[in-house]
Amino acid sequence: MTRTGEVRTGAGEGPWWWARWRSAVLDISLAALSAVECAVEGIQFSRDAGLPVPVGMAFGLFAGVTLLLRRRWPVAVVLVSIAITPAQMGFLMGVVGLYTLAASELPRRITAALAGMSFAGMFIVTYVRAHQGLVRGDLSIAGGFIPFLSVTTALGMTAPPVLLGLYIGARRRLMESLRERADSLERELMLLAERAEERAEWARNEERTRIAREMHDVVAHRVSLMVVHAAALQAVARKDPEKAVRNAVLVGDMGRQALTELREMLGVLRTGDGAVGRPARSTVPLAAVGAAAAAASRVFEDSSEGPCLAELEELIGQSAAAGMVVNLSVEGEARSYAREVEQTAYRVVQEALTNVHKHAAGAKTHVRLAHRAAEIAMQVENEPPPEPGSAREARLPSGGNGLVGMKERVSALGGVFVSGPTDAGGFRVSAVIPAEAA
């Protein structure tokens, strides 16, 4: 913003100190008019002062040109107009100078002081000239009318330009403030839009991860049991060994292919990268992702409520039927918990048993469940497998997302998840979930 309160629309658009060429043309025109006015008034000044006419005109011309500096130094222009007021010249310069000064960003005390000086100078000059005219007989008015004439003339030359300048300056500052607020609001809206996009992307990623976790926990466990059953069928078939072996190999191949395809699909859903992930961000709305997640949950869950701890014995029975030696021990008084707590506890045990089938087939496994005052704890620990190569014989593919999914589930409820090998060569999975009884 310039000293006169005008907003610069661009740097270097106008010459010298002007912001625009239009402002420069206006000031040059006003300065030319002021110079002509002061030069003409300089004729009478030279006669009154006993100076040559060219000297008076040159003085008026030089004084009037100073109006060219009104935007750069408005105080100097007003001071020059006050200085040449006794010579009865520079009226246009005084009016324009006071307007520019009042519209500028200078302190109001400076404007008030210079406006007062201009008023006093105009009052004194008008009073003296009127009294001289009355003495010479040039004026035919009453002597008591001279003060009123002087005050009226001084007010007319100072009050209107000052008030108009104050109004225009206040309007410019208001427009600038509104423009800045609009720019600030636009920046805030852009920031909010970016944050909304980030939140939408985060929600989409969360839905992808949740779908991947549900599919992994539900489908992978059942397909793993199918592969384990097929491997057992190969070993125990007696009646038609060749056909049983062929069928068992077919079941095993189908299970391995299903797990491999599931792993690839989970990788796409979890990362969201690549050619599949990018169009989803721009073409798939968040509502569609949520609807797909809800549909997937309905498809993969056994019931609308999801699994609960009451089904834990059935889950362990399925693993025992597949040849696993598994023991279940429960501490504390069993009670019901919130649905998400029971579902998370069930999934942790389910995935831990699936990992035992994959990586330690035939290993003895201990499942411990503890009901405590404000939390529920579970632990699945397997001993070393009796035959180290048994897991490789089954050739169960692993996607590497099981432990990650368990930790995400437990952490989402504010619990603690720990997993790692034991000193005896087995593996242990432990989780503690804060929960109040339902």
Side-chain angles (χ1 to χ4, degrees), residues 304-347:
S304 59
E305 295 297 329
C308 59
L309 292 177
E311 303 173 13
L312 198 59
E313 293 185 359
E314 180 182 354
L315 175 66
I316 294 175
Q318 293 174 358
S319 295
M324 177 187 294
V325 180
V326 53
N327 297 323
L328 173 62
S329 62
V330 180
E331 299 179 4
E333 182 179 356
R335 59 186 186 274
S336 61
Y337 299 92
R339 185 180 63 85
E340 60 271 12
V341 174
E342 293 207 9
Q343 183 176 350
T344 300
Y346 180 92
R347 294 302 189 201

Side-chain angles (χ1 to χ4, degrees), residues 69-140:
L69 307 176
R70 73 181 187 96
R71 297 179 190 266
R72 185 76 171 184
W73 295 292
V75 175
V77 173
V78 175
L79 289 176
V80 171
S81 68
I82 294 174
I84 63 176
T85 298
Q88 286 190 313
M89 63 174 63
F91 297 106
L92 176 62
M93 180 168 50
V95 171
V96 176
L98 287 175
Y99 162 80
T100 306
L101 179 65
S104 68
E105 295 296 324
L106 293 173
R108 291 291 168 254
R109 61 178 182 274
I110 296 178
T111 302
L114 292 179
M117 293 172 59
S118 179
F119 174 84
M122 184 61 62
F123 174 81
I124 294 173
V125 170
T126 304
Y127 185 88
V128 171
R129 292 292 182 177
H131 189 271
Q132 290 178 351
L134 184 63
V135 172
R136 291 195 301 265
D138 298 337
L139 293 176
S140 58

Side-chain angles (χ1 to χ4, degrees), residues 117-345:
M117 293 172 59
S118 179
F119 174 84
M122 184 61 62
F123 174 81
I124 294 173
V125 170
T126 304
Y127 185 88
V128 171
R129 292 292 182 177
H131 189 271
Q132 290 178 351
L134 184 63
V135 172
R136 291 195 301 265
D138 298 337
L139 293 176
S140 58
I141 59 175
F145 188 73
I146 294 178
F148 175 77
L149 177 64
S150 302
V151 171
T152 303
T153 304
L155 283 176
M157 294 296 294
T158 57
V162 170
L163 294 178
L164 180 62
L166 291 175
Y167 167 74
I168 295 298
R171 183 175 178 274
R172 286 172 179 168
R173 286 187 290 273
L174 176 61
M175 295 300 295
E176 176 65 18
S177 176
L178 293 177
R179 189 179 295 109
E180 291 177 355
R181 291 179 61 183
D183 294 340
S184 176
L185 181 60
E186 182 179 1
R187 289 192 296 268
E188 291 179 0
L189 290 177
M190 292 178 61
L191 182 60
L192 289 176
E194 293 177 357
R195 290 181 178 177
E197 180 63 24
E198 292 176 357
R199 287 195 296 268
E201 181 64 23
W202 174 83
R204 284 191 287 265
N205 291 333
E206 285 295 312
E207 291 297 339
R208 293 191 189 101
T209 303
R210 190 171 73 87
I211 295 173
R213 190 163 54 235
E214 293 295 333
M215 294 175 63
H216 184 278
D217 290 345
V218 178
V219 179
H221 177 74
R222 294 176 180 175
V223 176
S224 298
L225 290 180
M226 182 181 66
V227 176
V228 172
H229 278 296
L233 181 61
Q234 290 178 339
V236 301
R238 290 292 183 268
K239 293 183 180 181
D240 191 351
E242 294 182 359
K243 184 177 180 180
V245 169
R246 286 196 303 270
N247 291 339
V249 171
L250 179 61
V251 173
D253 291 340
M254 292 176 58
R256 282 187 288 272
Q257 291 175 4
L259 286 176
T260 300
E261 293 174 356
L262 175 62
R263 179 187 59 189
E264 294 174 354
M265 182 167 51
L266 294 179
V268 173
L269 290 173
R270 184 174 292 276
T271 59
D273 296 333
V276 177
R278 291 191 184 94
R281 286 195 295 269
S282 58
T283 60
V284 180
L286 181 59
V289 178
S297 298
R298 290 193 297 269
V299 171
F300 293 118
E301 293 295 346
D302 292 339
S303 64
S304 59
E305 295 297 329
C308 59
L309 292 177
E311 303 173 13
L312 198 59
E313 293 185 359
E314 180 182 354
L315 175 66
I316 294 175
Q318 293 174 358
S319 295
M324 177 187 294
V325 180
V326 53
N327 297 323
L328 173 62
S329 62
V330 180
E331 299 179 4
E333 182 179 356
R335 59 186 186 274
S336 61
Y337 299 92
R339 185 180 63 85
E340 60 271 12
V341 174
E342 293 207 9
Q343 183 176 350
T344 300

